[in-house]
Amino acid sequence: CYTCQVIGWKGTFAAKKMNGVNSKLLSSFQNELNILKKLSHPNLVTLRGYFQNEEELILIMDYYEDGSLSNFLKTKRNTSNA
């Protein structure tokens, strides 16, 4: 994932970029896109847009500075075990 600015949009966003488009990756991207379009919950990152061409696929989502969910869960697990 990368952080990015989008012309005409306010704020910083996270961009999930996938290169080397093939039929399997395209199918996976479309499934993820369809799921993210339907989800709306305060604890989930919001999908803001997407880009697709023959070479790359990009999902654009809200960016949060507090780190990854994985790091948060590891920290929480280690704290609760202490």
Side-chain angles (χ1 to χ4, degrees):
C1 282
Y2 304 92
T3 58
C4 65
Q5 302 287 319
V6 179
I7 296 172
W9 296 4
K10 292 182 180 179
T12 300
F13 299 90
K16 180 180 178 182
K17 183 177 178 181
M18 296 161 266
N19 293 318
V21 177
N22 58 44
S23 60
K24 185 176 179 181
L25 181 60
L26 184 58
S27 176
S28 176
F29 175 80
Q30 289 171 337
N31 286 335
E32 185 171 356
L33 182 60
N34 289 332
I35 290 168
L36 289 171
K37 283 180 180 179
K38 295 175 187 175
L39 295 177
S40 176
H41 189 276
N43 294 336
L44 296 175
V45 175
T46 303
L47 174 70
R48 296 297 178 178
Y50 68 95
F51 174 79
Q52 174 181 342
N53 69 17
E54 294 176 2
E55 298 175 8
E56 61 188 4
L57 307 167
I58 302 173
L59 295 173
I60 301 171
M61 297 166 277
D62 285 341
Y63 172 74
Y64 294 96
E65 293 186 23
D66 294 334
S68 71
L69 177 60
S70 176
N71 288 340
F72 173 78
L73 293 174
K74 286 177 188 174
T75 302
K76 187 173 182 178
R77 186 179 324 126
N78 291 338
T79 304
S80 64
N81 290 338

